[in-house]
Amino acid sequence: MNILLLGAPGSGKGSQSEQILKDFGYVQISTGDLLRDSLSRKTPDGLLAGEYMVKGELVPDDLVIEILRERLNRPDCLKGVIFDGFPRTVIQAEKLDAILEEKGEKLDFVLNIESPFNVLISRLLSRRVCSSCGKTYNMISNPPSGNKCSQCGGEVISRADDREDVIKNRLEVYTQNTLPLVRYFEGKNILISINGDRTVQDIYKDVKRLIEEREKN
Ligand code: AMP
């Protein structure tokens, strides 16, 4: 199955993906992670993307679509994919439909995680990530012990775009460019909205049930 996690920055798409991977063995494709990886390797695409990411702007569609297409061609994607942070524009959504169709596949369903912006802002301000494996922490609900990652021992840091001014811009960019995707996927009858103003575990109970129901059909 191909599942899209839709939601504003900080809605917990990454945390939900982590749980889904453990239970269902799907592959997570996060374009944000792919772009940060290209940036850390200082590839030309990564360096260009970094100029947008640091301001909280969207990276141009062509660049992101190409990175996504390459990732989707890897054989591990046959198990099923969780799309996290892609698509973020209607153009990207149309392109994803076309890419999946070429492979004889489709997007099976979209989980739209809805949370109030004030909750998202405080979550993002207290978010920390492992600079080595990307595991996410929260200084209030799930702090790292001694700034070291419990998974790999890497250094736990703040993301460069988790600064208040950049967060506000990311939420505006989300409202302008990504929110229209709710209508887009509603129109295709594959969107399910869930309340994201809950703990990761409580949200995951719904997510797990919804995936299990669909896997049976
Ligand atoms: P994320 O890790 O999903 O929060 O993404 C971090 C940043 O990467 C975003 O603020 C954008 O600058 C860029 N980015 C990630 N995914 C996309 C996408 N699908 N389209 C455009 N830019 C993206």
Side-chain angles (χ1 to χ4, degrees), residues 16 83 119 171:
Q16 295 303 317
F83 292 95
V119 170
L171 292 173

Side-chain angles (χ1 to χ4, degrees), residues 31-32 35-36 53 57-59 64 85-86 88 92 159 161 170:
T31 40
L35 292 167
R36 277 185 290 277
M53 293 164 80
E57 300 290 336
L58 291 184
V59 171
V64 189
F86 184 97
R88 260 175 156 97
Q92 290 178 14
R159 249 170 67 168
D161 55 355
R170 286 159 68 202

